Amino acid sequence: MTFDFDAVATLLKCPGCGASLILAENSLVCANPEHRFSFPILNGIPQLLAEEALELSVDEWSSLASVDLNKQG
Ligand SMILES: [Zn+2]
């Protein structure tokens, strides 16, 4: 059974700031440029916990966010 991230990711919100989440290769990334948290996806399950999150650098975040924005545009 697979998890349909494309359908679900748009419904998820960052637990830290309430922004929408961007689906990256193996993580969900907060869309808020002031927050930039990355939540890992382990065994197909997004870990939406502050303790599991990594704060991305601006460069890391913008490369992930811009890929997604280009896809949507
Ligand atoms: Zn956030």
Side-chain angles (χ1 to χ4, degrees), residues 14 17 30 32 35:
C14 174
C17 71
C30 175
N32 181 353
H35 195 224

Side-chain angles (χ1 to χ4, degrees), residues 13-21 29-32 34-37 39:
K13 300 292 183 191
C14 174
C17 71
S20 56
L21 292 169
V29 179
C30 175
N32 181 353
E34 304 291 310
H35 195 224
R36 302 193 307 277
F37 269 38
F39 299 91

Side-chain angles (χ1 to χ4, degrees), residues 46-59:
Q47 307 296 303
L48 296 179
L49 299 169
E51 304 88 77
E52 302 286 346
L54 299 171
E55 186 172 358
L56 300 177
S57 71
V58 174
D59 282 350

Side-chain angles (χ1 to χ4, degrees), residues 6 11 37 44-45 58 61:
D6 285 341
L11 303 175
F37 269 38
I45 302 171
V58 174
W61 179 86

Side-chain angles (χ1 to χ4, degrees), residues 61-72:
W61 179 86
S62 52
S63 68
L64 290 171
S66 63
V67 166
D68 186 77
L69 291 175
N70 289 339
K71 240 191 278 178
Q72 290 181 354

Side-chain angles (χ1 to χ4, degrees), residues 1-3 5 26 40-47:
M1 179 167 166
T2 55
F3 191 75
F5 283 121
N26 53 11
I41 297 170
L42 300 177
N43 300 319
I45 302 171
Q47 307 296 303

